Amino acid sequence: MKTIGVIGLGIIGSAWAHRYSVAGQLVGTWNRSPKPAAPAWKASAVEVAAAADIIQIVVADPAAVESVLKAIIPALGPGKHVVQSSTIDPANSARFQALVKATGARYIECPFTGSKPAAEEGKTIFFMGGESTDIEAVLPVLKLISEVQFAIGTGEQASAIKLAMNMNLAVQMESLCESLMFARKAGIPDQTYFEVLAKNAGYSPLAKMKELKLRAGNFDPQFSVKHMHKDMRLAAGTAGCADYPLLEAARERLKLAEARGMGDADYCVLIRLLQEAD
Ligand code: NAP
């Protein structure tokens, strides 16, 4: 089996690195803010790329991915596979693919869903884009941390489906928060609200996942406001999507939450905007 290095040790990268390490496949990790206690820590991103067959990148946004790619290019070439798992947009996916392939290395766009709990349990779901031979080459290693791997098509399509999924989630979250607040104002206990919701056609895995956090007012991040806001910005910036009304509404709510200092909180903190407006 191929070896892997993880670049970006945030909420997700640190959970994946731990699992790869336990499986014995991890040969390097690096993070912009040093985390020398991380398994297989290296002093630089390029050292990770030199050590590993597969370099998995999971950082904040397109600008962060670009800076990592520029740093690791000297160590890329035939035999190396770059698995790009940060959520980015199709235009940047195409750009990064060209950058990596020019070195002779292979590029797989590989965004994911499942958030922190799935990452910790090895149940991430990947949306993979690229040549089928490249996808097959990295699959055995990615299976160490994932439950489902969809082959979507091109890299651009893989990044597009990730943004499409998050558009739906962002709108659902605002809708769930407004619905819960409406019930609270009528004096309905959260227990009753969620029991009824569980038997309603509007129940969703998102409501199930966030119920305890919303009830407890626990906004510790599984997926942060700043990244969901970034995703809505990227989606709205994609050709032809600038005036989707719900996308725009979700983007505005997330922008407001970030402006009010909630950028690092879980995006279910959108409920606090409604509470503050009371
Ligand atoms: P996170 O905890 O905020 O971590 C972000 C990582 O990016 C950190 O390691 C950070 O380094 C690094 N970074 C930021 N700017 C950088 C730069 N200019 N150069 C190099 N590294 C940089 O984020 P996360 O939740 O793990 O998410 C990572 C990616 O996965 C994001 O694209 C996010 O949208 C996507 N994603 C997340 C989830 C989720 O549920 N969390 C689900 C699906 C997709 P520092 O430590 O130095 O800041």
Side-chain angles (χ1 to χ4, degrees), residues 54 128 134-144 146 149:
I54 302 170
M128 306 182 73
D134 296 334
I135 290 177
E136 280 159 26
V138 301
L139 255 186
V141 177
L142 293 192
K143 281 184 175 172
L144 296 172
S146 62
Q149 309 83 22

Side-chain angles (χ1 to χ4, degrees), residues 40-109:
W41 173 257
K42 302 273 184 211
S44 66
V46 72
E47 285 175 64
V48 175
D53 303 320
I54 302 170
I55 302 102
Q56 188 163 22
I57 302 172
V58 59
V59 293
D61 55 17
V65 176
E66 185 160 12
S67 76
V68 167
L69 286 178
K70 286 190 170 152
I72 67 174
I73 270 176
L76 296 184
K80 300 281 183 184
H81 288 78
V82 173
V83 171
Q84 200 306 100
S85 289
S86 324
T87 305
I88 61 169
D89 55 313
N92 276 306
S93 173
R95 234 163 38 84
F96 297 153
Q97 196 178 142
L99 206 62
V100 168
K101 285 188 172 172
T103 70
R106 309 304 302 168
Y107 182 94
I108 301 102
E109 191 68 50

